[in-house]
Amino acid sequence: MMDIDLRSTMDIQITALEWMLRDDGRYVRYYPEAGRDVYLEQLPDGSLRVTPPEFHDEVMSIFEYPLNGVYCGDNKLLLRLREFYRRCWVMKLQDPYISLIITILTQNKTADSARRTFHKLQHRYNGIDVHKMAGADKKELEELIHYSGPYKAAYIIECSRQIIERWGGSLEWMKKVSTEEAREALLSLYGVGPKTADCVLLFSLGHSVTPVDTHICRVSQRLGLSTSTGDSEAAKRKVKEDLEKKHRIPGMAHLLIINLGRDFCKALVPLHHICPVEDICPKRGVVRPERLL
């Protein structure tokens, strides 16, 4: 039986946002080929249950390998995190167009908002693809994605049209070219910024890059993995350079940093007293006291 911590696995990856988290703690994904929702949940004994059961093998195949396999360097902090989050799994690479749309939906919004919006789109269009989105009615799309930002309807429609016009509707060719060429092509699309491009490169196209947002920036600085300060665009570029070139951290290893930031290294009140790396973390830039329980 696969030993998986479902929450840690599903909360930190763009790939997982195809699954909407319900109020009852179950994850649900719409499978357009079958025309139905499929549910995934973790039972009290740690096992995973898929409903309906005939989808079990297909659903379980999305879990590729444990997160403790993503880093083999000598950084003590990352080695400690690798062991701590050994039950978190890296998910199988998803379709690059789907990854692009989901990442656009996350721009300046929560993952939960993106999950709900994507699930709604999947139901409305019986599965989305580049041609459906290129031909979507803008006003209807604005209403469907309202909680993730109605202005993104223009991004989705226009970048879909560009993908069709430039590359015949597919991003798959980007798997076979250099990271620099693929990234430049993605950044040329309407509504696509650096983090969005990096998420697509990492979670869909197999390029080992590190997407950097405010959270990765903050935690990397506190851990001493980057010498940058603040969360400006220049600081984020420096963090990206330090992680990718100075420390040579594989792209998927940034999920270790995301998990730490979500669980312990909070923005305002870092939980030093229960943090798994407290004794070896330099706590660079931390000025506020921890929360006492």
Side-chain angles (χ1 to χ4, degrees):
M1 182 178 70
M2 299 165 69
D3 186 18
I4 298 174
D5 180 338
L6 191 59
R7 184 189 69 91
S8 290
T9 298
M10 299 294 273
D11 280 3
I12 61 172
Q13 303 177 62
I14 292 296
T15 318
L17 299 187
E18 290 188 56
W19 293 83
M20 183 181 73
L21 178 60
R22 290 165 44 99
D23 293 338
D24 62 5
R26 293 189 297 169
Y27 292 88
V28 58
R29 177 182 175 184
Y30 181 69
Y31 279 75
E33 301 84 0
R36 67 169 301 157
D37 283 332
V38 176
Y39 299 87
L40 175 63
E41 61 184 312
Q42 189 143 42
L43 301 179
D45 65 359
S47 63
L48 301 183
R49 178 165 64 191
V50 177
T51 309
E54 56 264 30
F55 284 83
H56 178 272
D57 290 349
E58 183 174 357
V59 170
M60 295 305 295
S61 71
I62 68 175
F63 301 109
E64 195 78 83
Y65 53 88
L67 190 53
N68 63 5
V70 302
Y71 181 72
C72 300
D74 57 5
N75 185 281
K76 292 181 179 179
L77 287 158
L78 291 174
L79 289 172
R80 179 83 63 84
L81 291 175
R82 185 185 73 171
E83 175 60 22
F84 188 82
Y85 288 111
R86 63 186 181 279
R87 296 180 60 233
C88 179
W89 284 58
V90 173
M91 299 177 72
K92 188 174 294 183
L93 298 183
Q94 68 189 155
D95 175 87
Y97 179 74
I98 295 296
S99 183
L100 174 62
I101 298 305
I102 292 178
T103 310
I104 288 174
L105 294 175
T106 67
Q107 293 172 355
N108 302 312
K109 294 294 179 179
T110 65
D112 184 60
S113 171
R115 289 181 195 272
R116 293 183 180 278
T117 299
F118 183 74
H119 191 253
K120 186 184 296 184
L121 290 177
Q122 286 283 76
H123 269 272
R124 167 61 184 85
Y125 297 101
N126 192 34
I128 67 169
D129 61 36
V130 65
H131 296 284
K132 290 178 181 178
M133 293 297 96
D137 179 80
K138 185 179 178 183
K139 288 186 176 180
E140 180 185 24
L141 187 55
E142 287 174 343
E143 293 177 1
L144 287 167
I145 68 171
H146 176 76
Y147 291 106
S148 292
Y151 63 92
K152 295 175 184 176
Y155 294 171
I156 292 172
I157 292 171
E158 182 57 28
C159 79
S160 298
R161 290 174 178 171
Q162 290 174 340
I163 292 168
I164 292 172
E165 292 169 359
R166 298 176 187 177
W167 309 309
S170 175
L171 300 176
E172 292 290 333
W173 65 273
M174 295 183 185
K175 294 179 178 178
K176 301 177 181 179
V177 299
S178 69
T179 299
E180 292 72 21
E181 182 178 348
R183 193 170 193 268
E184 184 177 349
L186 287 169
L187 288 172
S188 73
L189 295 172
Y190 185 59
V192 175
K195 185 196 171 187
T196 298
D198 283 346
C199 284
V200 177
L201 288 169
L202 177 64
F203 292 112
S204 294
L205 297 170
H207 295 274
S208 185
V209 299
T210 303
V212 175
D213 60 9
T214 297
H215 306 294
I216 287 288
C217 198
R218 178 188 76 250
V219 180
S220 297
Q221 290 166 358
R222 288 179 177 176
L223 293 175
L225 294 173
S226 176
T227 58
S228 72
T229 57
D231 64 352
S232 65
E233 290 306 311
K236 291 175 184 176
R237 288 194 295 271
K238 175 60 175 171
V239 169
K240 181 177 176 65
E241 179 181 354
D242 286 341
L243 295 179
E244 291 183 351
K245 297 180 180 179
K246 180 179 179 180
H247 295 288
R248 298 186 181 278
I249 296 174
M252 286 298 181
H254 92 292
L255 298 177
L256 295 169
I257 301 172
I258 293 176
N259 259 332
L260 182 71
R262 181 200 61 192
D263 293 340
F264 304 103
C265 200
K266 311 286 186 178
L268 298 179
V269 280
L271 308 179
H272 299 309
H273 55 300
I274 56 173
C275 177
V277 296
E278 190 277 334
D279 60 316
I280 56 175
C281 176
K283 304 179 185 63
R284 181 171 172 267
V286 176
V287 296
R288 298 197 55 165
E290 64 185 58
R291 178 167 57 195
L292 298 178
L293 297 181

